[in-house]
Amino acid sequence: MTNGTNAEIYDQGYRVYDGPRTGVRTAVFSVWKVSVQRALGLRRKFRFKIIPAITIFISFVPALVFLGISVVFPAELADQFVDFSGYFGLTGVATVLFTAFVTPELLISDRQSGMFGIYMASPLDRGNYLWAKLQAIVGVISTVTLLPVVFLLIGYLLVGVGPEGFSDIASTGLRIALSGLSVALFYSLIGMAVATLTNKAGVGSAVVIMLFLVSAFLANALVDVADAPDWVLAFSLFQLPGDIAARIFDEPINQLNGVSTAASVSVFVATLVLSLVIVWSGYKRVEVSK
Amino acid sequence: MVISAVSLSKRWGDNQVFSDFTAEIPRGITGLLGSNGSGKTTLFGMLLGLHDRNSGQLSVLGEDPQTAGPELRQRIGYSPEHHDLPIDLAAQDLVRHVAEIHGLPKREATTRASDALWLVGLGEERARPIGTMSTGQRQRVKLAQAIAHGPSLIILDEPTDGLDPVQRDDMLQLIRDVGTKYEMNVVLSSHLLEEVERIADNIVIIANGSVAASGPIDVLRSQSGGAVVVLDDMHEAVATKLTARGVPTRIDGNRLLLGKDEPIEALAPIVAEVVAEAEASLRRFGPVSYSLEDLFLSEVTS
């Protein structure tokens, strides 16, 4: 028997909410959080975790190998292997595959499942919905572009190779962050543009992979076989992110041969802008209800 | 008024969806009726501020949806017509997420998502992926996500579509409960008149891009003219005499249905005289109560 003074109601059942509401920023955060969880397979069945887990693991493999070398070999020799900008070229295939998996998963599925309509009936609008998605996709793709290089830097510092002194470490850290995020943004926006143009996730994934591979094949074939000018290599979407990273690190050895910084940056920025235009104009036309 | 529309017009390309659409929707449950393609879903989009009107004025919960979009939408719950939802997401994850994007803090969203799912009868099933649920359960999930954040207005687009008769009854009772017990304003569209008749307090009939009729169902049913006369005998004789007096009369079982365009006050003395002349036994004389279907058909066809 409960006396009246210490009785508490634990379950009040459904009741109307009349408390404060958190606004659009929280809505954007919620979409970001759910999107990241979805892309990484969190709160989903095991089979949805396989592709992200394998891709992220593959992107860390070179870092583990380099760290192993730096532990086994003397510091003077190990220092010769330190090459942060070259890392983006090594993980290029993994990044393309991850982009092909993540972007259709986060954009096309919302349109197919009707979630986009539910989002648009909430405080979100097309602009902040896409902003949340862009942040989520860049964040997820950064796990294969930025995180392994950060991991490598920390590993090198722990084994005593790589940058020395605060300013050198800070400078390297900034370059890693800038290049890792730039590369992630590049892949993200291209993936989003493709995912805007098709309503089939499989087609979106295939087109993303083909776009990177075919552009690389064509650009190299034009330069090597058809004697096109070297700057055409900047149109190799597969090689361009690594080239940009190499220019951020100011390491000519990893840059595209014969391509000027102006040409490289121009194609990089133009690709970002074109992708943005495709995404925005495409989403402006997506019907919610009519 | 929950919703007020004055001389609203909306055009999609060459298709004039609404012209001079004027309606007042009061508190309570309102059914939106109209044939397929009459613009019900477009109207919902305009109420949510998703489509701009070409002209006219629109007020939802005291605000113009075209300018107060996000602030207004966080006070509205919306259940779309389609049954597609993310199939691998658990029902409680979806409902909590929708509550969060409508401005509920994380803890409140979690609690109220669970409460809403219990209310719609999916408490035990809340952790199940939506893809494993039946159409009836998905309709309940859609209702739960529309009410979890405690909106002032709920918009339900064909909430019983795809349900069998038993599930439909349950869903209608749920909507009635939400509208009455929790005092939420509900606007629902349906192509089944009988459904709207059962649960709505008010109706708006859309025909040819404008409002053909609107108001409380009881008033609309009784405001049409005509009368019903229930007799024990002499049906044919009375009918013949009434017709001879210029009152269109139809025999319907043991009752006579009298001219739809005549006010009941004008019919009363004629009926009294004719019944007396025929020495018939009068059981009842009163206004005709039309069904919603009669009303809908008469408004849409006219």
Side-chain angles (χ1 to χ4, degrees):
Chain A
M1 193 83 179
T2 309
N3 70 43
T5 54
N6 60 7
E8 281 185 59
I9 297 171
Y10 286 100
D11 183 8
Q12 299 176 58
Y14 179 81
R15 60 212 184 280
V16 174
Y17 179 75
D18 53 6
R21 293 186 188 257
T22 49
V24 175
R25 279 180 65 180
T26 312
V28 170
F29 175 74
S30 184
V31 175
W32 174 85
K33 183 182 72 180
V34 166
S35 302
V36 169
Q37 287 174 344
R38 183 171 185 82
L40 297 178
L42 307 176
R43 299 181 73 85
R44 297 176 80 188
K45 285 184 178 171
F46 178 74
R47 63 192 166 96
F48 295 107
K49 305 178 202 295
I50 296 173
I51 292 178
I54 289 176
T55 317
I56 292 170
F57 175 74
I58 289 172
S59 71
F60 276 80
V61 167
L64 293 167
V65 171
F66 290 154
L67 283 173
I69 290 171
S70 66
V71 171
V72 172
F73 291 97
E76 298 77 31
L77 195 58
D79 258 336
Q80 305 298 313
F81 287 94
V82 174
D83 176 13
F84 293 110
S85 72
Y87 202 94
F88 298 97
L90 293 173
T91 54
V93 173
T95 312
V96 169
L97 292 176
F98 206 31
T99 305
F101 167 73
V102 167
T103 46
E105 180 70 20
L106 293 193
L107 290 184
I108 296 174
S109 63
D110 274 357
R111 300 200 301 270
Q112 283 185 330
S113 69
M115 272 309 285
F116 183 69
I118 291 175
Y119 283 136
M120 292 303 101
S122 79
L124 293 166
D125 58 25
R126 286 163 213 261
N128 43 41
Y129 165 79
L130 288 171
W131 176 231
K133 287 289 173 180
L134 177 63
Q135 290 181 78
I137 293 169
V138 169
V140 169
I141 292 180
S142 292
T143 59
V144 296
T145 60
L146 178 60
L147 275 192
V149 193
V150 171
F151 172 76
L152 187 62
L153 172 66
I154 294 169
Y156 276 155
L157 292 175
L158 290 176
V159 296
V161 294
E164 290 176 352
F166 176 77
S167 65
D168 198 13
I169 293 170
S171 163
T172 305
L174 274 176
R175 285 168 198 256
I176 287 173
L178 185 60
S179 46
L181 289 174
S182 302
V183 171
L185 180 67
F186 183 79
Y187 282 102
S188 300
L189 278 174
I190 291 177
M192 286 177 76
V194 172
T196 301
L197 296 174
T198 175
N199 280 326
K200 294 189 187 303
V203 172
S205 298
V207 171
V208 168
I209 293 169
M210 293 298 285
L211 196 60
F212 283 98
L213 296 187
V214 169
S215 68
F217 173 78
L218 281 179
N220 282 282
L222 284 171
V223 173
D224 295 342
V225 181
D227 287 332
D230 286 343
W231 57 261
V232 171
L233 281 176
F235 287 93
S236 165
L237 300 180
F238 184 67
Q239 291 163 290
L240 184 60
D243 176 73
I244 290 292
R247 287 173 203 280
I248 290 171
F249 278 91
D250 199 20
E251 285 186 8
I253 195 167
N254 292 322
Q255 294 171 14
L256 287 168
N257 250 345
V259 180
S260 68
T261 299
S264 181
V265 171
S266 299
V267 175
F268 189 83
V269 172
T271 308
L272 295 184
V273 171
L274 179 65
S275 301
L276 262 179
V277 169
I278 290 172
V279 172
W280 182 245
S281 58
Y283 265 86
K284 264 171 69 178
R285 285 198 295 269
V286 175
E287 283 177 10
V288 179
S289 63
K290 192 171 177 179
Chain B
M1 285 293 157
V2 176
I3 296 166
S4 169
V6 180
S7 300
L8 214 56
S9 83
K10 175 66 188 172
R11 175 185 287 277
W12 290 117
D14 294 335
N15 180 23
Q16 183 79 45
V17 184
F18 294 124
S19 56
D20 199 24
F21 182 101
T22 298
E24 300 263 286
I25 295 180
R27 296 186 65 80
I29 302 174
T30 301
L32 197 59
L33 292 171
S35 49
N36 286 339
S38 61
K40 299 187 292 290
T41 304
T42 296
L43 181 63
F44 286 162
M46 292 168 79
L47 298 179
L48 289 162
L50 304 177
H51 308 315
D52 291 347
R53 57 188 177 266
N54 294 113
S55 65
Q57 287 160 5
L58 181 61
S59 163
V60 179
L61 299 171
E63 298 189 72
D64 182 343
Q66 209 160 304
T67 54
E71 294 77 22
L72 179 61
R73 286 199 292 274
Q74 70 181 0
R75 296 161 57 203
I76 299 177
Y78 172 63
S79 169
E81 181 180 359
H82 61 77
H83 305 309
D84 305 322
L85 291 169
I87 54 173
D88 54 339
L89 207 58
Q92 65 182 2
D93 288 347
L94 173 77
V95 177
R96 180 182 54 213
H97 177 48
V98 176
E100 276 183 5
I101 60 176
H102 280 86
L104 264 63
K106 188 182 172 188
R107 201 168 181 170
E108 286 286 351
T110 305
T111 310
R112 284 161 195 275
S114 179
D115 292 343
L117 284 163
W118 276 103
L119 180 71
V120 301
L122 290 177
E124 301 283 0
E125 315 287 335
R126 63 191 188 282
R128 258 178 67 187
I130 294 167
T132 65
M133 292 182 163
S134 67
T135 305
Q137 289 172 319
R138 289 184 195 201
Q139 285 284 26
R140 286 165 184 261
V141 173
K142 288 199 299 181
L143 180 62
Q145 62 82 27
I147 63 172
H149 59 96
S152 307
L153 169 64
I154 305 166
I155 295 174
L156 307 174
D157 200 350
E158 302 278 0
T160 57
D161 191 31
L163 302 185
D164 65 36
V166 176
Q167 291 172 328
R168 204 170 69 217
D169 283 353
D170 291 347
M171 177 59 80
L172 291 173
Q173 188 55 51
L174 260 174
I175 296 170
R176 185 76 204 163
D177 285 350
V178 165
T180 52
K181 203 167 161 188
Y182 301 103
E183 296 182 347
M184 290 187 206
N185 300 297
V186 180
V187 177
L188 77 152
S189 69
S190 174
H191 60 279
L192 295 173
L193 306 178
E194 178 255 347
E195 283 182 0
V196 173
E197 197 161 25
R198 275 177 55 189
I199 63 166
D201 307 311
N202 314 288
I203 57 164
V204 173
I205 299 176
I206 304 175
N208 302 319
S210 59
V211 175
S214 72
I217 287 184
D218 295 342
V219 173
L220 284 173
R221 273 184 187 152
S222 60
Q223 76 182 10
S224 302
V228 62
V229 177
V230 180
L231 299 168
D232 282 342
D233 50 13
M234 310 292 286
H235 298 88
E236 296 215 355
V238 173
T240 308
K241 284 177 183 288
L242 283 169
T243 307
R245 300 278 292 263
V247 178
T249 304
R250 183 162 61 89
I251 300 175
D252 179 28
N254 70 337
R255 37 181 224 159
L256 306 180
L257 298 172
L258 275 50
K260 203 176 169 189
D261 299 329
E262 313 291 332
I264 192 164
E265 295 79 10
L267 292 171
I270 302 172
V271 170
E273 280 178 31
V274 168
V275 168
E277 276 174 27
E279 296 182 344
S281 305
L282 179 66
R283 250 184 201 284
R284 189 171 85 80
F285 171 73
V288 177
S289 184
Y290 291 99
S291 73
L292 203 53
E293 188 172 358
D294 294 333
L295 262 177
F296 180 74
L297 289 174
S298 106
E299 297 298 346
V300 170
T301 51
S302 68

